[in-house]
């Protein structure tokens, strides 16, 4: 367990899909930058990260045109439309983005056959079910079936994952919430709701990285005062306290006894009498009168 001084927060937030964003992009960018991805900024403080072969691009867009804070696209041809795209909005927990970019970095290292791998066209729902397995294992339940939509919901009803079947408009998938995968969570009212989307050809392993992180039961650290009020009210907050000191072992007790200083004597000497002072001069004798 990390030292409390290393934890970036004063409370653990559970469930984690109510933690909100940390507003710190560095942890999510680090897996890609470690592979030599190029980093650029524009004059509005937006950040752009590009793979060495220009087939993967990430945008961190706090000054973008909408609330799509994170946009990650992959390309078979760098001059063609994206083969797939993933987005997270500005209130999505940053750990979800980091889980995705970590899996993306591993896939990119393995090569284009992995990070551009399309789902099984003969049975795409089979791949979708594999990405939904982490949700099912952590207690998410299938909802009443709707035509063309597989929906799972967290036990408390505060987070949802939808997978849409059938043919979708590729452009809408990249620019709206009408994507193959749509996950969201948070209070129903207010500005604390987050979302994530993934388009049709997003590799199953990368979608699974998101669903694993979203449904992980481990809480996330946050600074209570920096959380949106709606999240503070809906989530369970547990203060992060320093660990209790370890119980001394018999060996510790024995060592303490051997180091005990010797007891003082029965006589105590006042501080002011420890210095040796010269004897006082004798008073002069006077002659006795006769």
């Amino acid at each position: 367990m990390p030292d409390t001084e290393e934890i970036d927060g004063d409370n653990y937030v559970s469930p984690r899909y109510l933690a909100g964003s940390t507003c710190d992009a560095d942890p999510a960018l680090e897996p890609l930058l470690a592979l030599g991805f190029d980093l650029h900024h524009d004059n509005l403080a937006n950040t752009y990260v590009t793979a060495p072969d220009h087939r993967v691009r990430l945008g961190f867009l706090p000054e973008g045109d909408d609330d799509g804070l994170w946009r990650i696209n992959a390309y078979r041809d760098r001059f063609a439309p994206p083969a797939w795209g993933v987005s997270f909005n500005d209130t999505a927990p940053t750990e979800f983005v980091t889980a995705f970019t970590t899996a993306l970095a591993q896939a990119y290292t393995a090569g284009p056959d992995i990070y551009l791998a399309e789902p099984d066209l003969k049975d795409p729902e089979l791949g979708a079910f594999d990405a939904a397995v982490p949700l099912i294992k952590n207690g998410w339940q299938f909802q009443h079936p709707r035509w063309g939509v597989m929906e799972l919901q967290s036990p408390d009803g505060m987070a949802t994952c939808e997978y849409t079947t059938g043919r979708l408009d590729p452009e809408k998938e990249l620019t709206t919430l009408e994507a193959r995968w749509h996950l969201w969570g948070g209070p129903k009212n207010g500005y604390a709701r987050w979302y994530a989307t993934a388009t049709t050809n997003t590799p199953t392993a990368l979608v699974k990285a998101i669903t694993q992180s979203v449904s992980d039961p481990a809480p996330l650290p946050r600074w209570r005062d920096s959380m949106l009020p709606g999240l503070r009210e809906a989530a369970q907050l547990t203060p992060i306290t320093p660990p209790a000191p370890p119980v001394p072992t018999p060996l510790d007790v024995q060592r303490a006894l051997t180091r005990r200083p010797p007891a003082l004597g029965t006589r105590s000497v006042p501080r002011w009498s420890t210095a040796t002072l010269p004897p006082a001069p004798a008073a002069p004798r006077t002659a006795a009168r006769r």
Side-chain angles (χ1 to χ4, degrees), residues 12-19 93 95-96 98-99 131-140 154-156 159 183 194 207-222:
Y12 282 119
V13 181
S14 180
R16 56 171 40 206
Y17 45 76
L18 298 179
E95 289 82 357
F96 299 171
T98 303
V133 165
L135 304 173
I136 299 170
K137 285 185 175 180
N138 285 294
W140 290 44
S154 63
D156 61 2
L183 296 92
W194 63 267
V207 178
K208 193 172 183 178
I210 302 174
T211 59
Q212 283 178 328
S213 184
V214 170
S215 61
D216 190 335
L220 296 176
R222 290 292 186 271

Side-chain angles (χ1 to χ4, degrees), residues 201-232:
N201 292 326
T202 306
T204 300
L206 300 185
V207 178
K208 193 172 183 178
I210 302 174
T211 59
Q212 283 178 328
S213 184
V214 170
S215 61
D216 190 335
L220 296 176
R222 290 292 186 271
W223 298 102
R224 186 182 189 282
D225 291 343
S226 68
M227 294 178 63
L228 294 172
L231 295 178
R232 287 201 302 266

